């Protein structure tokens, strides 16, 4: 029997040693620490007990016992902590600390076993056959210690049973069962030990058998049911279940790990013959993909590659590449790109259509307005004759003059609608560009005044213009667009006001003294005593094609584009517009436009009224004559040739016409012209091609002749483009007769001009 107990002790020591080794090799957190603690405590106890078994007197027995207790006091607590950790039951630190302090106190009294009598009240050494024994009567600490250990066993059993019932994973369930059996045995052995139920319990500490069995079960749980692998298994599980493929290379670029998704993507990694080549290829592919920022496409899927250098204490130990499956994301991106392309194409087609349409509409308007101009001129001439006209003829001529005026108005309205449509389509296509240059604020205000004062007078309204005299005159910005904004707002004020006044107030805010190169916030306020705007309509005011109170305003012409264009232009310029209105009382539009100051010279006194104010259209007067000049007009539309010729008839300039680029070239080879007016859009050979041909003729008669581009292409920037193409100047259709004469006056040889009244 004695030998059996000794063998059990040795077996337990070997078993515990094995558990220690397993624990160390799979080290990873508190679970392993508690188990290790348990094993070491148990090892010390078992070693001490071997010495106890070999003692032959009281002294050696007690000394060996004290050594064994050094481990034994911790066995119950460490097992409890381990089981609690295994089952995910956590205790606060103070509980653990208190339990440890109690153990230490008890051990202190065990060390002083002979003196204090608190652990063993009495004890004597007796040899019971081969077994050295120490029959004793327990002191209070002895009972307390036994109770505490019994309590640990009961709590462990409770925790592990509860975990067993709740556990879903089959392997973990079996593992918990094995551990519960071990703990039941341990608990039972405490009872046997305490009450000395079996006679053997008097000969030696039966707990050692319980510990041996417990150790055996623990080994079973560790090896068969992978008790200590939980964390590693969990990590592997997570890494294998994620959608990202992960490949790890060591510092020498040798493959050291890949997870299941990576294995699926690159099955060659499993093949020893192909593995090395594949590894090299992958490294190259990953690096170039990461550098170029391009995704990696594999098996019809799209992956985003990422690289993470792995370092330990500052030294590189390898590289981790991850490939995340972003196919869905890229599919969405492709779809969005495709949709954007379709939308862009549609927008481009729309813009192109509107540009073409505007061009096509301008061509007939050119004829209408040009010929209307001729009617008006002829009418004026006949009226001037006056004598000899019968009253009926006089009245008819008067009517013709009125009708012609109406045609001109309608034609100009049509023209401004076409311009608005063209502008809004440019803005929506993001193609609107500002053409910034220095300009004079006073001349801009005079132009606006000239245009508006006439409209105001026609409606019998009063126009008050108040411009701060100290405003700097020379500013830098897009004059054409600033004028367009002012005209839009002022035209609306006139359109939507039946009686009363329209005020235009121009001020400046510069955030201090105005200085050259500084920014002036040009503040323009237009106020009217018109119909006003209802509060609920304010939101729609700046919408495209939005017109308010359609029924009430049905007789007022408009497209609902003016304010939309105004706001977009202001946004482009970094300015803004606000409105304040009292329905039935009038409206106030406030605009701010930041403009650079070129020179601080003040604008001076600019007032309402002026040249055109209140006067209707003046009868036509030719500005110069030049019978000595010969010019060539080129246009594929016959009526345009007719209009050009008619408009210039009073200048007495001699005019040749050509219906195509080719015909123009033939004529330029025969005659020298003082000037050429060239249409741009012509079939077969456009204006630019014809121009280049004329300029490149060897010893050509017209190499130096000024060529003016004449086109219905009224897009902003068109002038600059045509001049860049080689034309000397640009005239937009419909041709304004005054502008036409001024341009010719500028380019025709001075010596051939007679009767210049300008
Ligand atoms: P429209 O060509 O119709 O004038 P706008 O975009 O310039 O287009 O103006 C949009 C609408 O805002 C107009 O139809 C009109 O109902 C309203 N509106 C604009 N200015 C005024 C104003 N000064 N007084 C009253 N209503 C105005």
């Amino acid at each position: 029997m004695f030998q059996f107990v000794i063998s059990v002790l040795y077996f337990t020591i070997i078993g515990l040693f094995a558990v220690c080794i397993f624990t160390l090799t799979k080290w990873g957190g508190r679970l392993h620490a508690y188990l290790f603690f348990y094993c070491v405590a148990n090892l010390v106890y078992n070693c001490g007990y071997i010495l106890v078994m070999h003692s032959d007197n009281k002294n050696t027995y007690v000394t060996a016992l004290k050594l064994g207790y050094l481990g034994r006091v911790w066995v119950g607590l460490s097992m409890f902590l381990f089981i609690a950790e295994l089952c995910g039951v956590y205790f606060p630190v103070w509980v653990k600390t208190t339990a440890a302090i109690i153990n230490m106190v008890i051990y202190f009294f065990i060390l002083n076993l002979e003196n204090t009598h608190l652990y063993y009240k009495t004890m004597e050494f007796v040899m019971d056959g081969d077994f050295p024994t120490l029959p004793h009567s327990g002191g209070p600490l002895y009972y307390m210690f036994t109770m505490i250990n019994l309590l640990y066993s009961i709590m462990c059993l409770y925790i592990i049973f509860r975990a067993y019932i709740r556990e879903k994973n089959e392997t973990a369930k079996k593992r918990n069962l094995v551990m519960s059996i071990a703990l039941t045995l341990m608990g039972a052995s405490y009872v046997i030990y305490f009450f000395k139920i079996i006679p053997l319990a008097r000969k030696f500490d039966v707990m050692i058998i319980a510990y041996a069995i417990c150790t055996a079960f623990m080994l079973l749980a560790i090896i068969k049911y992978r008790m200590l692998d939980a964390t590693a298994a969990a990590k592997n599980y997570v890494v294998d279940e994620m959608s990202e493929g992960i490949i790890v290379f060591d510092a020498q670029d040798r493959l050291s790990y890949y997870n299941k998704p990576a294995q699926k993507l690159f099955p060659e990694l499993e093949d020893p013959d192909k593995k090395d080549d594949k590894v090299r290829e992958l490294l190259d592919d990953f690096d170039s993909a990461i550098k170029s920022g391009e995704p990696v496409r594999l098996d019809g899927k799209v992956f985003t590659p990422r690289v993470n250098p792995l370092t330990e204490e500052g030294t590189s130990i390898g590289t981790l590449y991850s490939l995340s499956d972003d196919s869905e994301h890229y599919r969405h991106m492709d779809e969005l790109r495709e949709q954007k392309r379709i939308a862009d194409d549609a927008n481009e087609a729309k813009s192109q259509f509107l540009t073409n349409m505007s061009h096509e509409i301008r061509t007939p308007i050119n004829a209408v307005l040009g010929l209307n101009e001729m009617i008006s001129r002829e009418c004026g001439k006949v009226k001037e004759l006056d004598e000899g006209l019968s009253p009926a003829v006089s009245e008819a001529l008067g009517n013709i003059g009125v009708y012609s005026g109406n045609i001109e108005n309608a034609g100009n309205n049509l023209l401004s609608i076409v311009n608005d449509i063209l502008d809004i389509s440019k803005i929506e296509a993001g193609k609107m560009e500002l053409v910034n240059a220095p300009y004079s604020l006073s001349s801009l205000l005079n132009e606006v005044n000239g245009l508006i004062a006439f409209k105001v007078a026609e409606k019998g309204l009063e126009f008050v213009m108040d411009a701060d005299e100290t405003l700097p005159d020379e500013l830098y910005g897009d004059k054409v667009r600033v004028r367009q904004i002012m005209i839009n707002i002022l035209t609306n004020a006139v359109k939507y006001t039946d009686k009363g006044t329209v005020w235009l107030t121009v001020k400046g805010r510069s955030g201090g003294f105005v200085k050259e190169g500084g920014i002036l916030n040009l503040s323009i306020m237009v106020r009217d005593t018109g119909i006003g705007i209802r509060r609920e309509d304010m939101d729609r005011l700046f919408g495209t094609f939005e017109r308010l109170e359609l029924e009430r305003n049905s007789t007022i012409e408009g497209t609902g584009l003016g304010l939309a264009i105004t706001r977009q232009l202001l946004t482009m310029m970094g300015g803004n517009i606000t409105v304040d209105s009292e329905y039935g009382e009038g409206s106030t539009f406030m605009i701010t436009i930041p403009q650079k100051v070129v020179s601080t010279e003040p604008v001076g006194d600019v007032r309402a009224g002026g040249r055109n104010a209140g006067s209707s259209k003046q009868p036509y007067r030719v500005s110069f004559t030049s019978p000595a000049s010969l010019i060539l007009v080129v246009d594929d539309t016959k009526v345009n040739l007719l209009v050009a010729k008619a408009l210039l008839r009073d200048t007495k300039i001699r005019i040749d016409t050509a219906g195509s680029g080719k015909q123009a070239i033939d004529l330029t080879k025969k005659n020298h012209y003082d000037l050429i007016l060239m249409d741009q859009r012509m079939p077969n050979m456009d204006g630019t091609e014809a121009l280049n041909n004329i300029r490149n003729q060897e010893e050509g008669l017209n190499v130096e002749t000024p060529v003016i581009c004449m086109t219905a292409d009224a897009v902003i920037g068109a002038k600059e483009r045509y001049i860049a193409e080689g034309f000397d100047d640009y005239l937009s259709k419909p041709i304004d007769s005054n502008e036409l004469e001024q341009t010719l006056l500028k380019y025709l040889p001075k010596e051939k001009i007679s009767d210049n009244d300008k």
Side-chain angles (χ1 to χ4, degrees), residues 651-711:
T651 62
K652 301 201 171 67
I653 295 172
R654 290 174 296 131
I655 301 172
D656 279 354
T657 55
S660 69
K662 165 112 187 22
Q663 211 183 339
I665 290 164
D666 291 344
L667 283 170
T668 53
K669 283 180 183 159
K670 285 187 217 140
N671 312 310
H672 164 75
Y673 292 104
D674 295 308
L675 187 139
I676 300 171
L677 289 172
M678 177 83 78
D679 182 25
Q680 166 58 22
R681 273 203 203 191
M682 290 184 292
N684 300 327
M685 183 188 284
D686 68 13
T688 310
E689 204 182 331
L691 164 81
N692 290 335
N693 194 302
I694 294 167
R695 291 267 155 90
N696 294 332
Q697 284 167 14
E698 250 177 63
E699 290 177 31
L701 298 168
N702 294 286
V703 178
E704 305 276 311
T705 305
V707 183
I708 315 288
C709 178
M710 217 172 35
T711 173

Side-chain angles (χ1 to χ4, degrees), residues 78-107:
S78 56
M79 172 56 90
F80 171 66
L81 290 174
F82 169 69
I83 294 294
E85 185 76 26
L86 185 70
C87 301
V89 180
Y90 303 106
F91 293 94
V93 178
W94 69 265
V95 174
K96 297 180 200 171
T97 318
T98 315
I101 291 171
I102 292 173
N103 275 352
M104 283 192 266
V105 171
I106 290 173
Y107 188 63

Side-chain angles (χ1 to χ4, degrees), residues 139 160 198 243 304 330 336 417 596 619 681 746:
I160 201 101
I198 53 169
S243 60
T304 308
Y330 282 102
L336 282 179
I417 291 171
K596 218 194 260 169
R681 273 203 203 191
K746 185 170 161 195

Side-chain angles (χ1 to χ4, degrees), residues 417 420 488-497 526-534 537 540-550 553 556-566 579 581 583 586-589:
I417 291 171
D420 278 357
N488 272 352
I489 303 296
L490 282 163
T491 310
N492 277 351
V494 177
K495 269 199 313 194
Y496 299 104
T497 305
V526 175
R527 189 149 73 87
D528 63 56
T529 51
I531 58 169
I533 301 155
R534 287 189 294 215
D537 286 338
R540 296 194 290 127
L541 201 58
F542 295 96
T544 318
F545 294 108
E546 282 285 3
R547 302 204 67 213
L548 312 178
E549 295 191 79
L550 274 178
N553 295 335
I556 304 175
E557 281 178 17
T559 52
L561 286 174
L563 288 180
I565 293 171
T566 300
V579 191
S581 182
Y583 190 58
S587 315
T588 308
F589 286 76

